[in-house]
Amino acid sequence: MVDNSRNIRFAKVALKDQGFKVKKSWQMSRNGKNALTKDPAYNAVNPNHFIPMIDEERYGDRSDAFDKIISATHKHFWDPNDKKYLDYDQPFDTENEHIVDPGIFCLELSVPNIANKLDEKQKIKLNNESFRFVLSQILHGEQGALSLSASLCHVLKDPGAQEYAANQTREEARHVTGFTKYIQARWGKPYKVGPTLGRVLENIVSSDVVYKKIVGMQMLIEGLAMGAFAMAHEDTRDPLLQTLLKYVMSDEAFHHKFGKIWADRTIPKLSKSEHNKVEDWAETLFVDLLFNLINPWEKKEIYQSVGLDHKFVMKEMFAYIDESEVVKQEMKKTNNIFRVLVKTLLKAHIITDRTKATYAEFVDMEELNNEDDTVAGQELADEGVRRLSIINAGKKVA
Ligand SMILES: [Fe+2]
Ligand SMILES: [Fe+2]
């Protein structure tokens, strides 16, 4: 008979040892990099160690903060592959029709020196390709949201927060499918990610720091997306896109709530230096993202496709913005996209007098301060949820 007692003893010592090491790294992760955790619902573990995740004490230690948004998910279920919800065969003539009103997503067309160089068909091309560029960035953003929420499942310790993150991952996955199918139906394939957005997404998705992930994705990228979706919904002449945006927004409004719950439970408890860290992180990302949408360098390929030189476009645009009230008004409308995310940060008390000036250049901070904290597009999102509950109850098809 083989005596296993030595092996068993050895295994027990090894396990104990491993447990010690794991516990130590878990502590390090909680007290070190993720030190901004102020509510147990956002406790984090080191994503490189799985053992703390199967700690038997962990399962029962579940916050109910996210239960409402988790169970609401069935009400706004939709499937981008099911014609009951969306019919991607609906045609749209992208060569001869503006897919969105010209101006908002293609400011270049408001500049006479640029517009006068183009015939009607080229104008439509510049406008529609600019919008394809915006939608492509949205698609990359959706992939970022998918990967980020999946990564939250590896970091968040609370089973309720984890269930919420898994649920968001599932919803972001259908957004990726939905936008991929839309871009395929209208243009074949998306544009590559702009350098700024690519860098921002890389930064927040690969970070292990919970506040960087949540502020970056749930508050900034989601806020930016809600603004862009609301604006595109208002301006598009394509009914298929309108429906897609409405469904996506009905999911996004819940993601926005997750960020808000985090902020409500975290920001008031931060020390001055911790608050500064969060505020600086938000400001850095905001400035970075702002350039992604207005920097003509990122649309070089598109200008070339209609015979325009990007340096000429840039010179003309800046000169016109300086002089023209019309463009300033257009910019103000475009800034509505940023307005949503600035409002999110302001209402979450992330912006203080330290960084207020950065945002005040683009939006009227006083006006925002006096508004209630409903997110832009909430009405559209509610309409989407109502429409989806009818379809899901089998009473109607899209
Ligand atoms: Fe999304
Ligand atoms: Fe989202």
Side-chain angles (χ1 to χ4, degrees), residues 141-142 145-146 149 164 168 171-172 175 217-218 221-222 225-226 229 248 251-256:
E142 292 292 358
L146 190 168
S149 27
Y164 167 79
Q168 185 180 334
E171 292 175 1
E172 302 297 3
H175 301 171
M217 184 54 74
Q218 314 293 129
I221 306 260
E222 297 273 358
M226 277 300 266
F229 293 152
V248 172
D251 293 337
E252 300 297 4
F254 289 95
H255 306 169
H256 184 264

